[in-house]
Amino acid sequence: MNALRGTGVGSRLAALLILLGGATVPASAQTSSLHPEVTLRNARGEVVAGPGAAVSARATCGECHDVDFITTHATHGPEAFAEPAVDGLPRGLAVPGGAPGSTPDEVDCLACHLPTDRTGFDAGLLRPTRTENCLACHDLDGIVDDRRLSDSDLNLTGKTTLTRSADVHAERLVECADCHRSSNDPVFAPATNPAEVPAGLLFDPRRIEPGAWLHRPDHRLAGTADAALACTDCHDPAPSHTWLPYAERHGQALTCQACHIPVVYTPRVETVDWTVLDDEGQPALTWRGCDGPCDDDPARLLTGWTPALLAEAGADGRTRLAPYELIAAWRWVDEGGADVPLAAVRRASAGASDRASVGRALAAAGVRGPRVDGRLDARPVHHGTAPSEWATRECTACHESDSRLAGTVVLSGPDPELPAPVLASDDDRLALAGTLARDAAGRVVYRTDPASVGVHVLGHHRAGWADRFGVAALLATLLGVAVHAGLRWRARRRGVTPAAHAAPRVYMYTVYERLWHWLQAGALMVLLWTGLEIHAGWPGVASFAVAVRMHNVMAWIVVANALLAAFYHLASGDIRQFLPEPKGFFAKAAVQARYYLWGIFRGDPHPFARTPEQKLNPLQQITYLGILNVLLPLQVLTGIAMWGAQRWPAVDGLLGGLAILAPIHALAAWLFAASLLMHVYLTTTGPTPTAHIQAMVAGWDGGEVPDGEPAA
């Protein structure tokens, strides 16, 4: 692993120049059926005359290729090769926590276009870039690997069980350059300006001529900051994600890598402290993914690590959570915020025992106001892709309170002198999806919180105020029911019984009314249960995915049942029994309230007779009026908006998204639960505790009339 061996970019380039300088193959013999004859030249453009002469890739390749164009249109421009390299750090386009005062070097074309195991120069070896060239600089050993993890050289925890490929693309022989291709590669890029393509044209066959492309190949590679690259450029996620509820919605909130790279198994640098250098002038490093320090023992047990999730704005304008490697670095800056040169820090660190003494030495050397500055380097995690069966598939990985979305990434040890690092990125498309803070141990940590970037996750985020208010309403109802039931039980113990007269049996509820009632009751109970599973993961009987599907099915049953009931009551005229008469309503409501609060404990009869035409008393009428005209529509509309979030994202956004809809929906559910509790309790206030329930089962009611009124 390069992370353990620590071979530098500079040493590779130096070795390359030595090899090129020592080439003894005559120019006339350097021919190839693929590449024309190449004349080796030095930086002054002179033909290399003998062994030991340095070869300039710019002068050599520039005879045929527009090197100026390539240099100014290159991801691997001069700034990509920074010296001095720091031993032990993973290699990439720049040193993590970059070495202060680094000096750019010349871009070397041959570093990418010759085999890495060459022993000399031969034009016949010139070729397009291969993965081995990329791995010579990029520390992806053990990540971009066509072997299974169980067969790799890594000393992994549970290695025998890791039968997945290290990277599914490498396993299927996809080269780095297959994805990270030239921006104007004629295989993919049309020759015309996209703005000039006629409307309705799905494919433009016009391409740049191969000769023109070879003269000016654009080296701004796809999949870098220079050119966008998305998984959907090659993959259609729909056919393989039918198992995933709301697959489109997930794709709108997450990058593919967030699930398909759940764990990185190779060790990576966690922190780089440039403030106190060792005797060799190197910074102090800490690592993640190891059982202890892993820069000094290649056999160290590797535990793997979970990437942090950051907010990344895509080309479509959507912000998605994406996996990133976070590297915290601390360095000295002057009072103006400019980096103190590394050479000065090395001199100040010589013989210094701590950070304060280094600061004093820098001040004595003329650095004005030296202070420690912290920066956070965020590197996207795009490699080490797991096959679908090894990707994150459990809903609880995100949809519960204690999930990956509440994860903490350690960025420093318990050192109070180190300031919290600031995200060092000039890319306004990237932002932290959480906060930087110190934990109880004094360590700087990154706490993931998707809500900070407007991503609301059901089951992970609570409804806050809605939950508090709703639970309070439910508990208040439960307390009221308990007190009222206790007083009724006490009255019965004293011999008080309802004073209703016997009445003839009345056919109170039709077959349709009873079927509607019990279907609606059952669906509402399932809705409340599955809603709790989704919202809070309680009682844990069903998985999140099953709960979501059941919830949606039951919701549509309730909606259909409610529409059928509305039609039935409107067509039959029974809707009138739900509408309170304005005249005398408050007086009747007061009579009914007095009965519930006083008369029922004395054995007084019900003040209003129940008949097939008037089944509800005034308090029930006003309650149902509120439920049917406010609570039910609110619940249905917010539920449909949440269900249709991936189908109608514009509507979802107009209503405030899940962050607004979910709390309102949860509050309505709590109020429904409270009203259902009250409804069930009130069914026990008949002549016997089960009389009303029996009537709803059989349809027949024994009747209950106040004193002095004939039975219906």
Side-chain angles (χ1 to χ4, degrees):
M1 294 178 295
N2 286 345
L4 304 182
R5 291 197 295 264
T7 304
V9 175
S11 60
R12 285 193 177 92
L13 293 177
L16 175 63
L17 293 177
I18 292 173
L19 289 173
L20 293 177
T24 58
V25 180
S28 60
Q30 299 171 9
T31 59
S32 168
S33 58
L34 174 65
H35 200 282
E37 178 180 329
V38 175
T39 301
L40 302 182
R41 298 180 181 276
N42 60 23
R44 295 185 297 275
E46 301 167 346
V47 177
V48 171
V55 175
S56 169
R58 172 184 289 272
T60 300
C61 302
E63 290 191 354
C64 297
H65 302 282
D66 188 339
V67 178
D68 289 333
F69 174 85
I70 294 172
T71 302
T72 57
H73 294 74
T75 299
H76 298 89
E79 68 281 357
F81 298 95
E83 295 295 340
V86 182
D87 192 24
L89 290 182
R91 303 304 165 193
L93 301 185
V95 178
S102 58
T103 303
D105 205 346
E106 179 183 330
V107 174
D108 198 318
C109 308
L110 306 180
C112 297
H113 292 285
L114 280 177
T116 57
D117 60 353
R118 65 198 176 280
T119 57
F121 177 78
D122 184 347
L125 298 177
L126 288 169
R127 64 182 190 184
T129 302
R130 296 286 186 265
T131 296
E132 66 180 71
N133 298 103
C134 303
L135 296 183
C137 294
H138 295 271
D139 181 45
L140 296 172
D141 282 356
I143 299 178
V144 177
D145 195 325
D146 59 4
R147 297 173 295 177
R148 297 181 183 276
L149 288 169
S150 54
D151 299 328
S152 70
D153 300 328
L154 304 177
N155 185 21
L156 296 168
T157 301
K159 182 175 181 177
T160 56
T161 64
L162 297 175
T163 56
R164 53 156 281 198
S165 57
D167 182 90
V168 68
H169 297 102
E171 180 188 41
R172 298 177 186 180
L173 305 182
V174 177
E175 293 277 340
C176 296
D178 291 335
C179 295
H180 301 291
R181 57 185 179 268
S182 166
S183 295
N184 65 343
D185 187 332
V187 173
F188 300 96
T192 53
N193 188 325
E196 300 174 358
V197 176
L201 184 64
L202 298 178
F203 176 74
D204 189 349
R206 293 169 291 182
R207 291 292 187 269
I208 187 173
E209 290 296 329
W213 176 64
L214 289 173
H215 177 60
R216 283 190 164 189
D218 193 328
H219 279 52
R220 292 175 296 184
L221 305 181
T224 65
D226 297 315
L229 177 67
C231 300
T232 50
D233 290 347
C234 296
H235 300 276
D236 178 6
S240 58
H241 288 75
T242 54
W243 61 273
L244 179 64
Y246 297 91
E248 293 179 25
R249 182 68 174 180
H250 283 83
Q252 294 165 1
L254 299 166
T255 63
C256 301
Q257 295 89 344
C259 293
H260 282 271
I261 310 180
V263 179
V264 177
Y265 289 99
T266 56
R268 310 296 283 182
V269 167
E270 184 175 74
T271 65
V272 185
D273 185 356
W274 293 95
T275 60
V276 182
L277 306 182
D278 62 18
D279 294 339
E280 297 180 358
Q282 303 301 322
L285 307 177
T286 62
W287 298 73
R288 59 168 59 96
C290 308
D291 182 17
C294 52
D295 56 343
D296 58 355
D297 185 2
R300 178 72 67 180
L301 183 64
L302 305 182
T303 58
W305 54 278
T306 301
L309 293 176
L310 272 65
E312 180 181 277
D316 59 358
R318 291 187 177 276
T319 297
R320 295 175 174 85
L321 298 180
Y324 274 77
E325 172 190 357
L326 296 181
I327 304 171
W330 289 270
R331 66 189 75 196
W332 289 101
V333 297
D334 60 22
E335 62 182 6
D339 286 343
V340 175
L342 180 58
V345 178
R346 282 176 172 159
R347 288 192 297 270
S349 297
S353 58
D354 54 26
R355 192 174 292 114
S357 58
V358 174
R360 289 192 295 270
L362 288 174
V367 177
R368 299 174 61 86
R371 60 182 176 84
V372 176
D373 180 55
R375 304 177 191 179
L376 189 62
D377 186 13
R379 298 190 165 191
V381 177
H382 290 160
H383 304 94
T385 308
S388 58
E389 61 272 17
W390 286 85
T392 299
R393 298 176 70 93
E394 291 296 327
C395 299
T396 51
C398 295
H399 293 279
E400 65 177 16
S401 57
D402 187 19
S403 70
R404 181 184 179 185
L405 300 184
T408 297
V409 178
V410 177
L411 299 177
S412 80
D415 189 341
E417 295 181 3
L418 292 177
V422 177
L423 182 62
S425 174
D426 55 3
D427 188 352
D428 56 7
R429 297 172 300 173
L430 182 65
L432 296 177
T435 57
L436 295 173
R438 290 192 181 273
D439 63 8
R443 302 174 304 179
V444 177
V445 297
Y446 170 64
R447 293 194 178 99
T448 309
D449 181 16
S452 64
V453 290
V455 178
H456 186 93
V457 182
L458 296 176
H460 173 72
H461 292 116
R462 295 292 180 261
W465 62 269
D467 279 348
R468 290 190 291 271
F469 186 88
V471 171
L474 181 61
L475 292 177
T477 303
L478 183 61
L479 178 62
V481 165
V483 171
H484 197 272
L487 293 175
R488 286 176 59 203
W489 176 80
R490 181 184 175 193
R492 287 294 181 101
R493 289 288 299 269
R494 297 201 314 263
V496 177
T497 58
H501 293 287
R505 288 168 62 80
V506 177
Y507 192 62
M508 188 69 66
Y509 302 105
T510 64
V511 172
Y512 170 73
E513 288 177 308
R514 283 176 281 145
L515 289 175
W516 177 89
H517 175 274
W518 291 114
L519 178 61
Q520 200 78 335
L524 286 173
M525 293 300 293
V526 174
L527 276 176
L528 290 173
W529 161 54
T530 54
L532 274 175
E533 294 280 11
I534 296 169
H535 186 62
W538 187 86
V541 177
S543 68
F544 186 89
V546 170
V548 167
R549 288 190 169 96
M550 292 181 65
H551 196 80
N552 289 341
V553 171
M554 290 298 107
W556 284 116
I557 290 176
V558 167
V559 170
N561 213 18
L563 293 175
L564 289 174
F567 174 78
Y568 171 82
H569 285 92
L570 287 170
S572 65
D574 279 356
I575 191 67
R576 288 189 296 270
Q577 65 178 294
F578 291 93
L579 304 176
E581 285 286 342
K583 183 178 180 181
F585 169 76
F586 291 105
K588 294 177 182 178
V591 171
Q592 185 66 43
R594 185 179 184 280
Y595 169 76
Y596 284 138
L597 296 174
W598 180 257
I600 195 171
F601 307 120
R602 301 173 52 192
D604 293 346
H606 279 258
F608 300 98
R610 287 189 342 127
T611 67
E613 294 76 24
Q614 192 65 46
K615 302 179 179 74
L616 306 177
N617 65 52
L619 292 184
Q620 289 174 323
Q621 286 179 321
I622 196 64
T623 301
Y624 276 107
L625 194 66
I627 290 175
L628 297 177
N629 290 279
V630 178
L631 195 57
L632 181 61
L634 182 66
Q635 189 78 332
V636 169
L637 291 176
T638 55
I640 290 176
M642 294 167 67
W643 169 80
Q646 72 174 5
R647 297 169 178 81
W648 316 303
V651 175
D652 174 67
L654 184 64
L655 297 176
L658 292 179
I660 300 297
L661 294 172
I664 295 175
H665 194 73
L667 175 61
W670 287 117
L671 296 179
F672 252 113
S675 64
L676 185 60
L677 176 62
M678 179 64 74
H679 174 75
V680 172
Y681 172 69
L682 290 178
T683 63
T684 69
T685 61
T688 66
T690 61
H692 291 335
I693 296 177
Q694 290 173 347
M696 186 55 72
V697 172
W700 292 91
D701 187 38
E704 48 186 289
V705 295
D707 286 333
E709 289 190 18

